[in-house]
PDB file of all heavy atoms in Angstrom:
ATOM      1  N   GLY A 140     -28.057   0.665  18.127  1.00 96.00           N
ATOM      2  CA  GLY A 140     -28.422  -0.634  17.502  1.00 96.00           C
ATOM      3  C   GLY A 140     -29.126  -1.619  18.404  1.00 96.00           C
ATOM      4  O   GLY A 140     -29.577  -2.645  17.952  1.00 96.00           O
ATOM      5  N   GLY A 141     -29.251  -1.318  19.725  1.00 97.00           N
ATOM      6  CA  GLY A 141     -29.939  -2.224  20.606  1.00 97.00           C
ATOM      7  C   GLY A 141     -30.565  -1.425  21.782  1.00 97.00           C
ATOM      8  O   GLY A 141     -30.333  -0.259  21.836  1.00 97.00           O
ATOM      9  N   PRO A 142     -31.226  -2.102  22.691  1.00 97.00           N
ATOM     10  CA  PRO A 142     -31.885  -1.368  23.804  1.00 97.00           C
ATOM     11  C   PRO A 142     -30.910  -0.644  24.719  1.00 97.00           C
ATOM     12  O   PRO A 142     -31.212   0.429  25.214  1.00 97.00           O
ATOM     13  CB  PRO A 142     -32.683  -2.411  24.529  1.00 97.00           C
ATOM     14  CG  PRO A 142     -32.132  -3.742  24.136  1.00 97.00           C
ATOM     15  CD  PRO A 142     -31.518  -3.530  22.754  1.00 97.00           C
ATOM     16  N   ASP A 143     -29.729  -1.229  24.911  1.00 98.00           N
ATOM     17  CA  ASP A 143     -28.767  -0.600  25.846  1.00 98.00           C
ATOM     18  C   ASP A 143     -27.406  -0.473  25.171  1.00 98.00           C
ATOM     19  O   ASP A 143     -27.221  -0.894  24.051  1.00 98.00           O
ATOM     20  CB  ASP A 143     -28.649  -1.488  27.127  1.00 98.00           C
ATOM     21  CG  ASP A 143     -28.148  -2.891  26.791  1.00 98.00           C
ATOM     22  OD1 ASP A 143     -28.054  -3.233  25.548  1.00 98.00           O
ATOM     23  OD2 ASP A 143     -27.912  -3.676  27.710  1.00 98.00           O
ATOM     24  N   ILE A 144     -26.508   0.230  25.878  1.00 98.00           N
ATOM     25  CA  ILE A 144     -25.122   0.361  25.385  1.00 98.00           C
ATOM     26  C   ILE A 144     -24.253  -0.311  26.443  1.00 98.00           C
ATOM     27  O   ILE A 144     -24.262   0.182  27.622  1.00 98.00           O
ATOM     28  CB  ILE A 144     -24.774   1.848  25.166  1.00 98.00           C
ATOM     29  CG1 ILE A 144     -25.683   2.410  24.013  1.00 98.00           C
ATOM     30  CG2 ILE A 144     -23.316   2.015  24.736  1.00 98.00           C
ATOM     31  CD1 ILE A 144     -25.698   3.935  23.911  1.00 98.00           C
ATOM     32  N   ARG A 145     -23.627  -1.385  26.128  1.00 98.00           N
ATOM     33  CA  ARG A 145     -22.863  -2.186  27.074  1.00 98.00           C
ATOM     34  C   ARG A 145     -21.548  -1.575  27.422  1.00 98.00           C
ATOM     35  O   ARG A 145     -21.009  -0.752  26.719  1.00 98.00           O
ATOM     36  CB  ARG A 145     -22.606  -3.600  26.591  1.00 98.00           C
ATOM     37  CG  ARG A 145     -23.877  -4.353  26.143  1.00 98.00           C
ATOM     38  CD  ARG A 145     -23.443  -5.753  25.699  1.00 98.00           C
ATOM     39  NE  ARG A 145     -24.568  -6.437  25.060  1.00 98.00           N
ATOM     40  CZ  ARG A 145     -24.684  -6.627  23.697  1.00 98.00           C
ATOM     41  NH1 ARG A 145     -23.713  -6.213  22.887  1.00 98.00           N
ATOM     42  NH2 ARG A 145     -25.706  -7.222  23.176  1.00 98.00           N
ATOM     43  N   CYS A 146     -20.983  -2.068  28.553  1.00 99.00           N
ATOM     44  CA  CYS A 146     -19.641  -1.674  28.890  1.00 99.00           C
ATOM     45  C   CYS A 146     -18.741  -2.931  28.730  1.00 99.00           C
ATOM     46  O   CYS A 146     -18.983  -3.947  29.400  1.00 99.00           O
ATOM     47  CB  CYS A 146     -19.557  -1.189  30.370  1.00 99.00           C
ATOM     48  SG  CYS A 146     -17.927  -0.646  30.874  1.00 99.00           S
ATOM     49  N   ALA A 147     -17.654  -2.784  27.950  1.00 99.00           N
ATOM     50  CA  ALA A 147     -16.724  -3.902  27.713  1.00 99.00           C
ATOM     51  C   ALA A 147     -15.919  -4.140  29.005  1.00 99.00           C
ATOM     52  O   ALA A 147     -15.538  -3.176  29.682  1.00 99.00           O
ATOM     53  CB  ALA A 147     -15.807  -3.623  26.555  1.00 99.00           C
ATOM     54  N   ARG A 148     -15.604  -5.424  29.297  1.00 98.00           N
ATOM     55  CA  ARG A 148     -14.793  -5.721  30.480  1.00 98.00           C
ATOM     56  C   ARG A 148     -13.378  -5.110  30.293  1.00 98.00           C
ATOM     57  O   ARG A 148     -12.945  -4.868  29.200  1.00 98.00           O
ATOM     58  CB  ARG A 148     -14.710  -7.236  30.726  1.00 98.00           C
ATOM     59  CG  ARG A 148     -14.064  -7.980  29.607  1.00 98.00           C
ATOM     60  CD  ARG A 148     -13.976  -9.506  29.850  1.00 98.00           C
ATOM     61  NE  ARG A 148     -13.234 -10.095  28.753  1.00 98.00           N
ATOM     62  CZ  ARG A 148     -13.752 -10.418  27.628  1.00 98.00           C
ATOM     63  NH1 ARG A 148     -15.057 -10.196  27.343  1.00 98.00           N
ATOM     64  NH2 ARG A 148     -13.054 -10.979  26.634  1.00 98.00           N
ATOM     65  N   TYR A 149     -12.803  -4.840  31.444  1.00 98.00           N
ATOM     66  CA  TYR A 149     -11.477  -4.200  31.398  1.00 98.00           C
ATOM     67  C   TYR A 149     -10.371  -5.117  30.845  1.00 98.00           C
ATOM     68  O   TYR A 149     -10.327  -6.326  31.142  1.00 98.00           O
ATOM     69  CB  TYR A 149     -11.059  -3.738  32.823  1.00 98.00           C
ATOM     70  CG  TYR A 149      -9.702  -3.093  32.727  1.00 98.00           C
ATOM     71  CD1 TYR A 149      -9.531  -1.774  32.241  1.00 98.00           C
ATOM     72  CD2 TYR A 149      -8.520  -3.815  33.125  1.00 98.00           C
ATOM     73  CE1 TYR A 149      -8.275  -1.162  32.112  1.00 98.00           C
ATOM     74  CE2 TYR A 149      -7.290  -3.199  32.991  1.00 98.00           C
ATOM     75  CZ  TYR A 149      -7.168  -1.906  32.473  1.00 98.00           C
ATOM     76  OH  TYR A 149      -5.897  -1.294  32.374  1.00 98.00           O
ATOM     77  N   ALA A 150      -9.521  -4.551  30.031  1.00 98.00           N
ATOM     78  CA  ALA A 150      -8.229  -5.219  29.639  1.00 98.00           C
ATOM     79  C   ALA A 150      -7.237  -4.109  29.373  1.00 98.00           C
ATOM     80  O   ALA A 150      -7.671  -2.972  29.033  1.00 98.00           O
ATOM     81  CB  ALA A 150      -8.470  -6.096  28.398  1.00 98.00           C
ATOM     82  N   THR A 151      -5.980  -4.427  29.469  1.00 98.00           N
ATOM     83  CA  THR A 151      -4.988  -3.368  29.278  1.00 98.00           C
ATOM     84  C   THR A 151      -5.031  -2.785  27.889  1.00 98.00           C
ATOM     85  O   THR A 151      -5.255  -3.492  26.885  1.00 98.00           O
ATOM     86  CB  THR A 151      -3.547  -4.071  29.460  1.00 98.00           C
ATOM     87  OG1 THR A 151      -3.541  -4.743  30.695  1.00 98.00           O
ATOM     88  CG2 THR A 151      -2.433  -2.981  29.455  1.00 98.00           C
ATOM     89  N   PHE A 152      -4.794  -1.447  27.775  1.00 98.00           N
ATOM     90  CA  PHE A 152      -4.870  -0.821  26.447  1.00 98.00           C
ATOM     91  C   PHE A 152      -3.880  -1.395  25.504  1.00 98.00           C
ATOM     92  O   PHE A 152      -2.812  -1.892  25.881  1.00 98.00           O
ATOM     93  CB  PHE A 152      -4.692   0.735  26.609  1.00 98.00           C
ATOM     94  CG  PHE A 152      -3.239   1.161  26.681  1.00 98.00           C
ATOM     95  CD1 PHE A 152      -2.615   1.586  25.456  1.00 98.00           C
ATOM     96  CD2 PHE A 152      -2.567   1.181  27.836  1.00 98.00           C
ATOM     97  CE1 PHE A 152      -1.265   2.002  25.505  1.00 98.00           C
ATOM     98  CE2 PHE A 152      -1.248   1.599  27.854  1.00 98.00           C
ATOM     99  CZ  PHE A 152      -0.566   2.011  26.683  1.00 98.00           C
ATOM    100  N   GLY A 153      -4.274  -1.426  24.239  1.00 98.00           N
ATOM    101  CA  GLY A 153      -3.347  -1.936  23.187  1.00 98.00           C
ATOM    102  C   GLY A 153      -3.236  -3.441  23.083  1.00 98.00           C
ATOM    103  O   GLY A 153      -2.416  -3.908  22.311  1.00 98.00           O
ATOM    104  N   THR A 154      -4.016  -4.192  23.827  1.00 98.00           N
ATOM    105  CA  THR A 154      -3.900  -5.654  23.799  1.00 98.00           C
ATOM    106  C   THR A 154      -4.997  -6.335  22.993  1.00 98.00           C
ATOM    107  O   THR A 154      -6.064  -5.747  22.796  1.00 98.00           O
ATOM    108  CB  THR A 154      -3.977  -6.277  25.229  1.00 98.00           C
ATOM    109  OG1 THR A 154      -5.228  -5.894  25.821  1.00 98.00           O
ATOM    110  CG2 THR A 154      -2.861  -5.662  26.116  1.00 98.00           C
ATOM    111  N   GLN A 155      -4.711  -7.556  22.650  1.00 98.00           N
ATOM    112  CA  GLN A 155      -5.734  -8.386  21.945  1.00 98.00           C
ATOM    113  C   GLN A 155      -6.876  -8.653  22.881  1.00 98.00           C
ATOM    114  O   GLN A 155      -8.039  -8.699  22.434  1.00 98.00           O
ATOM    115  CB  GLN A 155      -5.179  -9.657  21.398  1.00 98.00           C
ATOM    116  CG  GLN A 155      -6.046 -10.489  20.549  1.00 98.00           C
ATOM    117  CD  GLN A 155      -6.504  -9.706  19.244  1.00 98.00           C
ATOM    118  OE1 GLN A 155      -5.668  -9.038  18.592  1.00 98.00           O
ATOM    119  NE2 GLN A 155      -7.744  -9.781  18.912  1.00 98.00           N
ATOM    120  N   ALA A 156      -6.616  -8.746  24.171  1.00 98.00           N
ATOM    121  CA  ALA A 156      -7.691  -9.009  25.163  1.00 98.00           C
ATOM    122  C   ALA A 156      -8.647  -7.870  25.125  1.00 98.00           C
ATOM    123  O   ALA A 156      -9.886  -8.033  25.260  1.00 98.00           O
ATOM    124  CB  ALA A 156      -7.108  -9.200  26.537  1.00 98.00           C
ATOM    125  N   LEU A 157      -8.184  -6.614  25.008  1.00 98.00           N
ATOM    126  CA  LEU A 157      -9.105  -5.442  24.959  1.00 98.00           C
ATOM    127  C   LEU A 157      -9.892  -5.526  23.640  1.00 98.00           C
ATOM    128  O   LEU A 157     -11.139  -5.262  23.642  1.00 98.00           O
ATOM    129  CB  LEU A 157      -8.325  -4.125  25.016  1.00 98.00           C
ATOM    130  CG  LEU A 157      -9.196  -2.875  24.921  1.00 98.00           C
ATOM    131  CD1 LEU A 157     -10.207  -2.854  26.096  1.00 98.00           C
ATOM    132  CD2 LEU A 157      -8.337  -1.566  24.931  1.00 98.00           C
ATOM    133  N   SER A 158      -9.263  -5.885  22.532  1.00 98.00           N
ATOM    134  CA  SER A 158      -9.999  -5.972  21.258  1.00 98.00           C
ATOM    135  C   SER A 158     -11.068  -7.008  21.407  1.00 98.00           C
ATOM    136  O   SER A 158     -12.267  -6.744  20.977  1.00 98.00           O
ATOM    137  CB  SER A 158      -9.057  -6.380  20.184  1.00 98.00           C
ATOM    138  OG  SER A 158      -9.789  -6.544  18.988  1.00 98.00           O
ATOM    139  N   ASP A 159     -10.790  -8.183  21.995  1.00 98.00           N
ATOM    140  CA  ASP A 159     -11.807  -9.236  22.159  1.00 98.00           C
ATOM    141  C   ASP A 159     -12.951  -8.697  23.042  1.00 98.00           C
ATOM    142  O   ASP A 159     -14.111  -8.970  22.692  1.00 98.00           O
ATOM    143  CB  ASP A 159     -11.194 -10.452  22.849  1.00 98.00           C
ATOM    144  CG  ASP A 159     -10.157 -11.118  21.953  1.00 98.00           C
ATOM    145  OD1 ASP A 159      -9.991 -10.770  20.747  1.00 98.00           O
ATOM    146  OD2 ASP A 159      -9.350 -11.994  22.486  1.00 98.00           O
TER     147      ASP A 159
END
Side-chain angles (χ1 to χ4, degrees):
D143 58 355
I144 298 166
R145 303 182 191 105
C146 182
R148 64 180 181 278
Y149 179 77
T151 309
F152 84 95
T154 60
Q155 188 58 45
L157 179 59
S158 176
D159 295 347

